[in-house]
Amino acid sequence: NSSGFEAGAIKINGASPNLRNLIIRDNNVEDSGAGIYITRDGDGNLAEPLIENCIFKNNYAGDKGGAVYLSVNASPTFKNCLFDSNTANDRGGAISSGTSESFIENCTFFNNHSNSEIGNVIDLRNSSSATIKNSIVFPNYGNADYNNGWLSSQTSSLNIMYSNCDGVCLSCSTCINYLPQFTDIQNSDFTLQPSSPCIDAGDPESEFDPDGTIADMGAFPYDQIANPIVWGCTDELACNYNPDANISDGSCEYNSGLWYVSTDGGNSCGSESEPLSSIQLAIDASADGDSILVSAGTYYENINFNGKNISVIGEDREITIIDGSMIDSVVRIESNESDLATIQNFTITNGQTS
């Protein structure tokens, strides 16, 4: 959608409607407010709209306010909105505000830009003010300077709290400055991964998220009922691997030195109580000087020492069998291993090369 002067998609003039669940994208204006233009009218009627669960994407303004332009005492509230890749030629890639007051709660700003690099995300001018809470301001174009990069605040005020600004809200004591860990930026999925620092990091006095937990930061709260967060060891090779864990708590414990293999073993640990099921798994996990003890049984695999000076020891050569299944050499020791590399007490059979 292309508009000549202002208000490419929606113009709110002296009205206070509710705008919900809208996608406002690919709008262009020569002047300001490619997505929404909000202003008090000539009769003094206020403009105090609620804008909720909306997406502003790829909007372009030739002057100010790539997504939204606020003028003459406009006072909108934005809740759970995403501002993605909006551009203004002058300033305010996402929002430009002149003599206005805005309230921004649980919103996500990503990749917004002003060609002047002044107010890449938000431009506040002429005694405007903005309150931002429980939101994410991800790195946008330009530098991170408070008054020249993501924010331009000329004779105006910003009150930001409980938000993730990734390094640009250093004066905010309740803010965090980490990568938000979006699910899939490349495909515009700005939901949070279970390991995101934004989960439960919002204002504890805010309304709880739909799952009954403390408010998250950003437009899309993480559902801890549908996708419970479980801390634990997430490395499958560790002895205390927790298959239900989706966030590592640094508790992983690993076997070392002496490795055990059994036909009824598993794919992790390698201790005597939790042996591995494959000789090659043990080799891959081992280090120079280690020993691998293989219980009796038949192991259908082709193994390679991969340059490691280790000892691979079967329980009994008559009943501990490595069967190569006529695929390749059964055992390969060909990467400059020394006389410290040993294999003993096995039957090695069904090897074939061509």
Side-chain angles (χ1 to χ4, degrees), residues 10-323:
I10 299 172
K11 184 170 185 177
I12 298 174
N13 186 14
S16 301
N18 295 321
L19 279 61
R20 293 190 174 97
N21 300 318
L22 301 177
I23 298 175
I24 300 170
R25 68 180 188 189
D26 301 318
N27 299 286
N28 294 273
V29 293
E30 293 181 11
D31 196 89
S32 300
I36 303 179
Y37 189 104
I38 305 172
T39 183
R40 183 183 67 182
D41 68 12
D43 296 326
N45 294 308
L46 300 179
E48 300 178 339
L50 170 63
I51 302 168
E52 188 172 17
N53 296 321
C54 292
I55 295 175
F56 298 85
K57 183 177 178 65
N58 292 334
N59 298 289
Y60 174 81
D63 191 16
K64 301 177 180 66
V68 178
Y69 183 79
L70 311 177
S71 177
V72 193
N73 301 118
S75 184
T77 296
F78 299 91
K79 288 187 175 182
N80 296 99
C81 291
L82 169 66
F83 295 83
D84 176 16
S85 303
N86 301 285
T87 303
N89 188 49
D90 182 18
R91 58 183 67 201
I95 299 173
S96 181
S97 175
T99 323
S100 297
E101 181 180 28
S102 54
F103 301 90
I104 300 167
E105 184 172 359
N106 285 103
C107 291
T108 296
F109 295 86
F110 173 79
N111 200 37
N112 299 283
H113 177 50
S114 69
N115 290 335
S116 67
E117 294 194 358
I118 298 175
N120 282 300
V121 182
I122 297 174
D123 163 46
L124 301 177
R125 294 167 291 103
N126 302 332
S127 301
S128 289
S129 68
T131 298
I132 301 176
K133 183 169 72 170
N134 300 346
S135 295
I136 298 173
V137 181
F138 193 72
N140 293 270
Y141 287 96
N143 60 57
D145 182 76
Y146 193 72
N147 284 311
N148 192 39
W150 75 276
L151 169 73
S152 172
S153 180
Q154 301 174 349
T155 64
S156 299
S157 64
L158 172 72
N159 181 22
I160 185 165
M161 64 190 81
Y162 292 100
S163 294
N164 184 5
C165 307
D166 193 38
V168 297
C169 294
L170 300 180
S171 61
C172 170
S173 63
T174 59
C175 295
I176 61 175
N177 293 282
Y178 303 110
L179 289 175
Q181 298 184 32
F182 295 127
T183 298
D184 187 357
I185 289 175
Q186 297 301 319
N187 290 297
S188 298
D189 183 351
F190 295 98
T191 58
L192 303 174
Q193 298 181 49
S195 55
S196 171
C198 299
I199 296 173
D200 293 344
D203 184 353
E205 300 299 321
S206 294
E207 181 180 350
F208 281 2
D209 283 341
D211 61 5
T213 61
I214 293 173
D216 297 342
M217 295 174 178
F220 308 105
Y222 183 90
D223 188 342
Q224 298 185 49
I225 296 176
N227 304 288
I229 295 175
V230 180
W231 292 80
C233 176
T234 58
D235 188 345
E236 295 182 1
L237 296 178
C239 295
N240 59 334
Y241 167 63
N242 181 355
D244 296 322
N246 50 23
I247 303 180
S248 175
D249 61 0
S251 67
C252 290
E253 299 173 356
Y254 297 91
N255 187 49
S256 63
L258 188 58
W259 303 85
Y260 292 84
V261 178
S262 173
T263 54
D264 60 357
N267 294 322
S268 63
C269 192
S271 67
E272 186 172 10
S273 60
E274 296 183 59
L276 296 167
S277 61
S278 157
I279 300 170
Q280 190 63 53
L281 278 176
I283 292 173
D284 292 343
S286 68
D288 283 349
D290 287 359
S291 294
I292 298 170
L293 304 183
V294 184
S295 297
T298 300
Y299 299 84
Y300 296 93
E301 56 183 308
N302 305 81
I303 67 173
N304 191 323
F305 273 49
N306 290 325
K308 295 182 178 181
N309 293 313
I310 55 177
S311 297
V312 181
I313 304 169
E315 182 177 339
D316 184 299
R317 72 177 183 178
E318 300 294 336
I319 56 175
T320 312
I321 303 164
I322 308 176
D323 188 324

